[in-house]
Amino acid sequence: MAFGKGRGNKRGASTSYASTITMVVFVALCVIGVWMLSSNSVIPPQISRPSTRTVVSETERSDLSTSSNVNDEPEPTKPESEEQPAFEDNPGKLPDDAIKSEDEQQKAAKEKSDKTKAVRESQKETQTQEIPLNNEKIPEENKVVQENDEGQVKQVVKEFEKEQKEQRDEDAGAQLGNSKGAQEQEQEQGQGKEMQDVDQGKKQVQDVEMGTKQGQEQDSNADVTFTDATKQEQPMEVGQSVTSENSKNEENGQQQQQQQDDQISGKDIQQTEETSTVSDENGKEQKSMNEENGQQDEHNTAEVESGNREEQSTTKNENVEQQEEKKPEGSEASGFGSGIPKESAESQKSWKSQAAESKDEKQRQTSESNNAEGMTDGKTWVLCNATAGSDYIPCLDNEEAIKKLPSRRHFEHRERHCPEDPPTCLVSLPEGYKESIKWPESRDKIWYHNVPHTKLAEVKGHQNWVKVTGEFLTFPGGGTQFIHGALHYIDFLQQALKNIAWGKRTRVILDVGCGVASFGGFLFERDVIAMSLAPKDEHEAQVQFALERRIPAISAVMGSKRLPFPSRVFDLIHCARCRVPWHNEGGMLLLELNRMLRPGGYFVWSATPVYQKLEEDVQIWKDMSALTKSMCWELVTINRDKLNGVGAAIYQKPITNECYEKRRLNRPPMCKDKDDANAAWYVPLQACMHKVPTNVVERGSKWPVNWPRRLQTPPYWLNSSQMGIYGKPAPRDFTTDYEHWKHVVSKVYMNEIGISWSNVRNVMDMRAVYGGFAAALKDLNVWVMNVVNINSPDTLPIIYERGLFGIYHDWCESFSTYPRSYDLLHADHLFSKLKARCNLAPVMAEVDRIVRPGGKLIVRDESNVIREVENMLKSLHWDVHLTFSKHQEGILSAQKGFWRPDTTQSSS
């Protein structure tokens, strides 16, 4: 029998004295046994010595630390002087063969330990086969002493459950590490716990610390693949070693029994009865748990919480607080976990999505024939059989759809027409393709064979757009309007209007008809980013040149539909020598610029009608002047650049509705109140104007704070009463997201996933939310295209407000960019959301199309999605550098190679 406290000297007293003690105890136990028989109580016959102590079986000992107490009511606490140990052993009624010699006892204990270990390894037997369970009602006389003892047991179990909660936020090795705190708490409360339990606890801590150290070493190793299977196996293996150690401790404990100083008294017998009752109750609960869980092995200790729900609810808040405190040391600290919570379901009510805003959104059908799981090797993938060849853009080169267009008057043939079945074919590489030249050298020259088109050089060579120089295409930095260099032209505009304030007041601009985007390329030196766009037209590959130069650009045209940007987001819109017919169709195209321009923002128009006196130019100027006046745009200045021989007219959009209300003619008309200015996905253009926001808490009523402060400042119009994407008040949600991504980028992306950032320039965040990832990359020499999915909360205006840019998109369709455009794609919990709407195989084919050879992909998502993406990337012959999974969340880092399939898609 175990009486908890080992009071007295070590076992060194005389044999006669021990025999006397043994005889007294034996007589007392016989009396107890007779009384227990009379009360129909069946006590587990677990005993190991004929002396004053009993060794609990290895199974019982481990169960006592993991089982929840069945009594959920609060119990009175004993005074310190009467406090009893939390765990004690009670033989109850002894069978005739229970008393054996010491050698026999040791032999029996060893045999039982070996048997238990075998049972655990095979998992074919259960604890109920080893522990006789007491299902009888507890005698009334034992209830008071039981409550006192159960109070201590419940306290230890409660602490253990807290540790189990925290373990789910730690890696597999650290999961058992938290039991150290529970062991220490048990020792403090028990005050007299058996020496063998102390030894056992120390051994467990050593095992755990070793597992934790191994787990940390694995976390930092980017060459090792971590999976859920690994995560699950680690605790099982550690648990088995602890089980084996328990058996050893039992044997050691038999040889290290301490001699009792005090005589056995009625109080000692009462302690025995108390412990017997607790043991029976734990046995009941263990049996119940085994029945409910299909007799699972006892190493699944986390499941114990389901049997103690009421007690768990009382500590719920405390557990949550402990989990939040642990996160910086666990998933957030490592960066591999999601770090911030998943999207709040309730936040969907507070945020519109682009799909909801766009009334005429086009519904796409996806093919069920291309099952992503079937992509198991490179033989499945084939090359696209498209006329565009290595420059294929599926939604812009859909010849079948373009042939069916009733008209091309509004450049409909240059707009998006995506295939009904998204392609799963791969785009070929140009012959002689090489890895792109690094920035900033790439701004001046690129490899000719990467974009082997000379038409633009032949047509625009004399205007310093692009020239062929040996194996390079070179860009002198000029253009039609700035032959002597873009920087001079940029400074000319600043001198023309001081209030432009490049890189402070003016941060994000739209460059319409960008050519090869030299204007945007040199604005980086003024801390300005430009969204450059031009159509895929007879000016061959101009946007492709820009992207190969590592300058942001997209293929788009101002035709019959709105551009995929929110309203009131660009600080300045620029059009140099653009031949866009702004005054036609009631000024519909210029009104689209008005929709996207911030109130108080500038439109810079440096075209021939501004400074030339040809008849055509004069007429265009008159029409343009009348249109801008009716739109209430103020002509701020007209200046002429003598060096380049060009001029620029600068207009400003009003910041109030006063001018609109004073117009004699309602032309162009004001848009209807129900017209959503933010709706931009396949929404037809309208020749109308939207009112300027005047409420001080409405977006667009104030100019953002100057750059770079606006990057980290929550927009003034984010209301604290509005729930953010992750369930916190919107401004705090914004800040939390920013801090999270700063931590992940600095601690993980910079060091732990095998990316050489010196080779990265063009970056795309495929699911941007607040733009926190792009903001965290501010000090790197990169630019980021932030993509907000049309069925996600519409947070793109927030991204522009903080001085970044982005675009609306549906990843069930192809993106409007040339192949081999980006160095790095980042997808945070994107693919798991896409699976409900479209197959992943076409999406992965699109990822392969967009990324350059040598480019990278980072995926953060659910573990099962990570595995699916990993399999497809391997079938595409990508080099998977790292996959890591924990707590059903994972991260993947991979690099694209130069592999292309040998077969081509059939013409049918």
Side-chain angles (χ1 to χ4, degrees), residues 80-195:
E80 257 189 27
S81 60
E82 298 180 8
E83 185 173 297
Q84 303 301 329
F87 297 108
E88 293 190 311
D89 306 321
N90 180 14
K93 181 186 174 184
L94 303 179
D96 294 336
D97 59 346
I99 302 176
K100 302 178 181 179
S101 67
E102 185 168 337
D103 293 337
E104 290 174 341
Q105 286 293 324
Q106 292 180 0
K107 183 177 180 180
K110 184 172 180 17
E111 290 175 356
K112 175 171 271 191
S113 174
D114 294 338
K115 179 180 179 181
T116 302
K117 183 176 180 180
V119 170
R120 291 180 181 284
E121 292 175 346
S122 64
Q123 298 185 354
K124 293 180 180 179
E125 298 182 21
T126 64
Q127 298 138 339
T128 57
Q129 293 172 311
E130 297 183 62
I131 306 175
L133 300 177
N134 180 9
N135 295 322
E136 300 297 330
K137 184 176 180 181
I138 300 171
E140 193 68 29
E141 297 86 343
N142 291 346
K143 286 187 177 179
V144 176
V145 291
Q146 174 189 347
E147 288 177 355
N148 292 334
D149 199 49
E150 283 182 352
Q152 295 178 342
V153 175
K154 182 176 291 187
Q155 180 68 20
V156 175
V157 170
K158 188 181 296 185
E159 292 297 323
F160 184 83
E161 287 177 347
K162 292 178 184 178
E163 299 296 338
Q164 288 295 313
K165 282 281 187 179
E166 295 171 356
Q167 286 169 5
R168 285 195 289 270
D169 293 326
E170 302 295 338
D171 62 316
Q175 279 185 327
L176 290 177
N178 289 333
S179 65
K180 180 178 179 181
Q183 182 74 16
E184 293 173 354
Q185 181 70 19
E186 177 185 324
Q187 292 172 354
E188 292 175 3
Q189 293 179 346
Q191 295 183 357
K193 191 169 177 64
E194 301 166 3
M195 293 299 295

Side-chain angles (χ1 to χ4, degrees), residues 580-590 623 627 687:
V580 179
W582 299 117
H583 56 283
N584 290 349
E585 303 283 339
M588 187 167 60
L589 299 183
L590 195 63
D623 294 337
L627 175 60

Side-chain angles (χ1 to χ4, degrees), residues 414-428:
R414 303 296 184 192
E415 294 180 325
R416 290 172 57 84
H417 303 283
C418 298
E420 290 293 330
D421 293 333
T424 58
C425 57
L426 305 183
V427 177
S428 60

Side-chain angles (χ1 to χ4, degrees), residues 497 499-500 505-506 568 570-573 594 596-603 632-634 636 650-656 660 692-693 700-704:
L497 184 61
N499 203 34
I500 286 180
R505 183 184 187 272
T506 300
R568 309 186 299 273
F570 289 105
D571 303 334
L572 181 147
I573 297 178
N594 184 74
M596 298 180 292
L597 186 64
R598 289 186 188 279
Y602 298 107
F603 173 60
C632 295
W633 280 13
E634 178 187 359
V636 180
I650 303 177
Y651 300 88
Q652 186 175 27
K653 181 179 176 178
I655 58 174
T656 69
Y660 298 148
V692 173
S701 61
K702 298 179 183 178
W703 197 265

Side-chain angles (χ1 to χ4, degrees), residues 393-406:
I393 305 176
C395 290
L396 298 183
D397 294 317
N398 188 355
E399 296 179 351
E400 182 179 352
I402 292 173
K403 290 177 181 178
K404 296 178 181 179
L405 291 175

Side-chain angles (χ1 to χ4, degrees), residues 142 217 222 284 290 318 324 554 603 626 671 770 814 903:
N142 291 346
E217 292 174 353
K284 286 181 182 179
N290 287 338
E318 195 173 358
E324 291 178 350
I554 63 167
F603 173 60
C671 297
Y770 295 121
S814 173
T903 57

